[in-house]
Amino acid sequence: MDTKHLQTFSTAAETLSFTQTAQLLGYAQSSITAQIKSLEEELDVKLFERLGKRITLTEEGKHLQQYAKKMLELDAEVKQTLSNELGHVVLTIGAQESQCVYRLPSILQQFQQRYPQIKIIFKPVHTTEIARNLLQTGSLDIAFITDTHKVTPMLHRERLTQEQLIFISAPSAVITQNNALSAQHLEKETILLTENGCSYRNQLEVQLQHEGVYPTQMIEFASIEAIKQCVMAGLGITFLPKMVVAQELENYRLKEIPTVMQLPPIFTDIAWHKDKHIQPYLEDFIEIARETYKKL
């Protein structure tokens, strides 16, 4: 039996008025009549006697009224218990620093407005391989994977967006005469890079090795913000997703360096184990992420 129909019946049994029941529950009166009729057909009994404009409970209706009260109380108890149990739920998310800082805050804000009792933990995920291993072992519930396209049979993946990766320098830096960066130009430049293993650092290093270019000075940082500050100070150039430097580019604190290098595209996907049971709260998180990335 539909609990909505039971609630409608229970209210009508108390008021003995379909009109008043409609007002209390916010339905049209025709909807109240339809719900009662559906319940009567399901149980194959008459629940109300209609005497002119008045209604009264039949004997079957009186019996159902007692059971309906117990069933609605049990339904409310189940919902309250499950709601309280969400306080013990931990949602573990994997993502790169760039996603955590520049994309996920708005997603988390919306999610926590709906589920303030759920605890959220982040784990660093720099590559598809790391995400795959953590999702397969259950160490992550869900991951935002920023990487080149790679086949992952055990994972369900949905494409969220293609990331734009760019070379960046201080506004005053002069890197090339014709203002078009090639791999050979990087040989004599100081390059400030994210941690070893980061997907877009890997992509750049593979390309440089392919062209036989080995920069004399590569400095590794654990923080994207530290890289940006050092580039602004003129210590070198870097290679980052455009989203992380959008504000600095707009304020002319950094500048983009055009390049002739052809690098494979980087994508951000949302992923989870293909056999994972998706709880309602997790489905809501995924939907919030989808809608947020659509607006980019």
Side-chain angles (χ1 to χ4, degrees):
M1 281 177 282
D2 192 325
T3 54
K4 182 177 71 173
H5 291 176
L6 282 178
Q7 183 63 63
T8 297
F9 164 76
S10 185
T11 304
E14 290 290 334
T15 63
L16 294 178
S17 167
F18 287 0
T19 301
Q20 190 175 349
T21 298
Q23 292 172 346
L24 289 172
L25 299 181
Y27 295 128
Q29 187 170 335
S30 59
S31 177
I32 299 298
T33 303
Q35 290 182 47
I36 297 298
K37 182 178 179 182
S38 176
L39 197 55
E40 288 178 330
E41 290 175 351
E42 181 181 356
L43 298 173
D44 195 24
V45 296
K46 201 76 170 174
L47 298 174
F48 291 97
E49 290 283 0
R50 294 161 180 81
L51 305 174
K53 294 184 178 180
R54 296 179 57 200
I55 61 171
T56 61
L57 281 169
T58 63
E59 286 302 314
E60 292 84 358
K62 291 176 183 178
H63 286 304
L64 180 60
Q65 185 180 24
Q66 298 173 19
Y67 285 111
K69 181 181 179 182
K70 294 177 183 178
M71 293 170 74
L72 290 170
E73 287 175 350
L74 183 59
D75 180 67
E77 182 181 338
V78 168
K79 289 178 179 177
Q80 181 62 44
T81 300
L82 292 178
S83 176
N84 290 340
E85 286 180 354
L86 283 177
H88 302 290
V89 171
V90 177
L91 177 59
T92 307
I93 303 169
Q96 283 189 350
E97 179 194 359
S98 56
Q99 300 296 323
C100 290
V101 175
Y102 299 96
R103 292 270 170 79
L104 298 190
S106 63
I107 295 173
L108 295 180
Q109 181 184 34
Q110 296 176 68
F111 180 75
Q112 290 207 310
Q113 285 175 350
R114 298 185 194 180
Y115 300 96
Q117 65 275 53
I118 292 181
K119 181 180 179 181
I120 297 175
I121 294 176
F122 275 104
K123 291 187 178 182
V125 170
H126 299 307
T127 65
T128 300
E129 291 72 23
I130 294 172
R132 182 188 61 219
N133 292 338
L134 292 175
L135 288 168
Q136 288 181 346
T137 60
S139 300
L140 290 179
D141 293 303
I142 203 158
F144 292 86
I145 302 175
T146 302
D147 204 341
T148 54
H149 175 72
K150 296 176 181 177
V151 177
T152 51
M154 293 300 294
L155 303 185
H156 175 89
R157 293 177 68 165
E158 292 185 19
R159 180 64 37 82
L160 294 175
T161 191
Q162 180 172 337
E163 303 292 351
Q164 184 178 357
L165 293 167
I166 60 174
F167 288 96
I168 307 149
S169 72
S172 59
V174 178
I175 309 300
T176 68
Q177 294 297 322
N178 60 4
N179 205 32
L181 187 72
S182 67
Q184 286 67 36
H185 287 122
L186 296 178
E187 201 156 28
K188 298 180 181 179
E189 293 292 334
T190 297
I191 308 176
L192 313 183
L193 295 172
T194 48
E195 291 180 283
N196 189 33
C198 174
S199 59
Y200 39 87
R201 171 177 171 172
N202 289 348
Q203 181 194 37
L204 177 62
E205 289 180 332
V206 167
Q207 182 69 20
L208 293 179
Q209 290 172 13
H210 177 72
E211 299 199 29
V213 173
Y214 301 93
T216 55
Q217 183 74 305
M218 298 176 72
I219 306 176
E220 180 179 306
F221 290 81
S223 164
I224 289 176
E225 287 303 312
I227 291 175
K228 291 198 293 184
Q229 291 298 321
C230 288
V231 172
M232 282 187 274
L235 297 182
I237 65 175
T238 189
F239 181 65
L240 291 172
K242 191 169 186 176
M243 65 171 173
V244 310
V245 291
Q247 186 174 354
E248 289 81 4
L249 291 173
E250 185 177 342
N251 297 334
Y252 303 104
R253 299 173 67 195
L254 291 171
K255 72 175 181 181
E256 178 180 352
I257 312 169
T259 181
V260 295
M261 296 176 64
Q262 299 295 319
L263 298 171
I266 289 281
F267 304 96
T268 293
D269 296 347
I270 189 168
W272 57 91
H273 194 288
K274 69 179 185 64
D275 296 329
K276 184 174 181 60
H277 174 63
I278 304 299
Q279 296 282 4
Y281 66 85
L282 187 53
E283 179 59 45
D284 281 352
F285 181 87
I286 294 168
E287 185 58 31
I288 291 169
R290 290 180 184 128
E291 293 301 316
T292 300
Y293 274 82
K294 279 181 185 177
K295 299 173 184 176
L296 297 177

